[in-house]
Amino acid sequence: MQKKHSWVSNAILFILSFVLVLPLIGTLLNSLFRDFTSIVPKGFTLSFYAELFAGDNQLLPVLLRTVVIAVVPTVILLVLLLLAMYAVQVYFPKLDKYLDILSKIPYGIQGVILAVSILSLYTGGGGILSNRILLLICAYCIIILPYMYQGIKNALLTIEVLPILEAAEILGANKVYAYFRIVVPSMMKGLFATMLLSIGILFGDFVLVNILAGSYYKTMGIYLNEIRGSSGHAASAVSVIMFLVMLGLSFGVNQLNKDTKTKRKSAKQKQAVKAVKIGSSAEKERAKHELYRV
C-alpha cells in the first residue's frame, strides 16, 4: 500500500516539475534556434548569445550593475534590521508588534506609486537626497522590507535569544558581542535564504529602476525591455542568462551553508578531542596520586 502511494506521489511530483520547467525549456530552445515556430526547432545557432557580449550594447556591464544594485540594498537592510531586532528583543519587547505592522506596509505600496512619490518629494530640492542611485537604493530597501523582516524573524524564533545573551553576560561578554558572535551566526542559513529571496526580487525589477534611474543606471530589466523590441531570440537569451545567474547565486548560498556546517562540526570534534585529552590526563594524574599513596 505504501509503495502504491509512493508511486503516485512521485508521478505527481514529476508532472509538476515538468510543468514548471517547461517554460524555461521553451525559452532556452528559442534562444538556441532561429526557427521555433514548429514542434521541432530549426537552425541551431549561438549567435544570439554572442551578440550580447559584443558591440556597444554589451550585457556584462549591465549584469554587474544589476548584481551590485540588488546586493547593496539587501546588505544595508539586513544590518539595519539585525540592529533593530536586537534593540526590540533586549530593550523594547513591547515594540515588536509595531515593528511587525510597519514591515507589512510596503505590501500595499505599488512600485509606480512609490517611485513617483519619491521623485516628487526629493528630486526638486537638490543635494544628496536628489541623487537617483541613492533614491533607488532606498526604494529597494522599502520594497524588500517585508521579506527581509519576516525571514529574520523566523530565523530568530528558532533560537532562544535572551537566555543566550544572559548566559554570555554572566560569562563576561556584553550583549552586543554575544548577539553578533553567537546568535547571528546560528541563524546564517535563514539569513542567506532571506537575502537570496530579496536579491531575486530586485534582480528582475523594471518599474522602479526605470522611473527612478532610467538611463542613469541601466539594469537587466531595462536591458531586457530594450532588446525585446529588436529580437525575441536575444530576449530569450537574456532571460536564460538571468536564470543562470540566480541559479549560481543559489548554489553559492548552499555552498556557504555547507561550509559553515562543516566548520561547526570540525570545531565540535576538536572540542570533543580536547575534552577527551583533558579527561585522560586527569585520569593519569589520579593514577599517579594513588600509586604515591600506596
Side-chain angles (χ1 to χ4, degrees), residues 269-279:
Q269 289 176 356
K270 288 180 181 179
Q271 290 177 357
V273 171
K274 187 176 181 181
V276 170
K277 288 181 179 179
I278 293 172

Side-chain angles (χ1 to χ4, degrees), residues 2-292:
Q2 290 181 353
K3 290 183 178 179
K4 184 178 179 180
H5 285 300
S6 64
W7 180 85
V8 173
S9 60
N10 290 333
I12 294 173
L13 288 174
F14 175 78
I15 294 171
L16 290 175
S17 302
F18 179 75
V19 171
L20 292 173
V21 176
L22 188 60
L24 179 62
I25 296 174
T27 305
L28 178 62
L29 293 176
N30 191 45
S31 66
L32 293 175
F33 293 89
R34 295 186 182 278
D35 186 8
F36 192 42
T37 56
S38 59
I39 297 177
V40 180
K42 300 176 183 178
F44 177 79
T45 180
L46 294 175
S47 61
F48 301 115
Y49 288 93
E51 291 172 359
L52 297 177
F53 296 96
D56 297 332
N57 195 18
Q58 292 188 14
L59 177 67
L60 188 58
V62 179
L63 182 61
L64 293 176
R65 282 196 294 267
T66 307
V67 172
V68 170
I69 203 63
V71 172
V72 170
T74 304
V75 174
I76 292 174
L77 186 62
L78 176 68
V79 175
L80 292 177
L81 282 178
L82 286 175
L83 292 172
M85 289 186 174
Y86 167 76
V88 168
Q89 289 279 339
V90 178
Y91 300 108
F92 310 104
K94 293 182 179 180
L95 297 180
D96 185 35
K97 56 182 179 181
Y98 300 108
L99 186 61
D100 187 73
I101 294 171
L102 288 174
S103 68
K104 289 181 172 59
I105 292 177
Y107 276 129
I109 302 176
Q110 297 295 326
V112 177
I113 299 173
L114 178 63
V116 173
S117 302
I118 290 175
L119 283 177
S120 60
L121 185 62
Y122 293 109
T123 54
I128 190 173
L129 291 177
S130 63
N131 186 282
R132 296 296 185 97
I133 307 303
L134 179 61
L135 293 179
L136 182 62
I137 291 174
C138 296
Y140 276 169
C141 289
I142 296 172
I143 289 296
I144 62 174
L145 175 60
Y147 310 99
M148 291 287 293
Y149 173 79
Q150 199 59 47
I152 296 173
K153 187 175 182 180
N154 292 338
L156 278 174
L157 290 176
T158 60
I159 302 171
E160 295 292 337
V161 179
L162 291 179
I164 292 174
L165 297 180
E166 290 173 357
E169 197 171 17
I170 291 172
L171 295 173
N174 59 57
K175 291 182 179 180
V176 178
Y177 179 85
Y179 181 75
F180 284 99
R181 290 299 300 269
I182 300 173
V183 176
V184 174
S186 300
M187 58 181 187
M188 287 305 294
K189 187 175 182 180
L191 294 181
F192 278 136
T194 304
M195 291 177 66
L196 185 62
L197 173 63
S198 302
I199 291 172
I201 292 170
L202 300 180
F203 194 80
D205 174 65
F206 171 73
V207 175
L208 278 174
V209 69
N210 187 41
I211 297 175
L212 291 176
S215 59
Y216 291 96
Y217 201 86
K218 185 187 292 187
T219 60
M220 292 295 291
I222 298 176
Y223 186 87
L224 180 60
N225 184 65
E226 289 179 355
I227 205 168
R228 185 179 58 183
S230 60
S231 173
H233 298 283
S236 298
V238 173
S239 300
V240 172
I241 291 173
M242 292 174 67
F243 172 78
L244 292 177
V245 170
M246 289 307 303
L247 188 64
L249 289 175
S250 303
F251 179 76
V253 168
N254 290 330
Q255 288 298 117
L256 287 174
N257 286 329
K258 288 181 181 179
D259 291 340
T260 52
K261 286 181 181 179
T262 53
K263 286 180 181 179
R264 288 175 186 173
K265 286 182 180 179
S266 62
K268 289 180 180 179
Q269 289 176 356
K270 288 180 181 179
Q271 290 177 357
V273 171
K274 187 176 181 181
V276 170
K277 288 181 179 179
I278 293 172
S280 61
S281 61
E283 290 294 331
K284 288 180 182 179
E285 291 294 330
R286 288 180 186 176
K288 286 181 181 180
H289 286 301
E290 291 295 330
L291 288 174
Y292 287 138

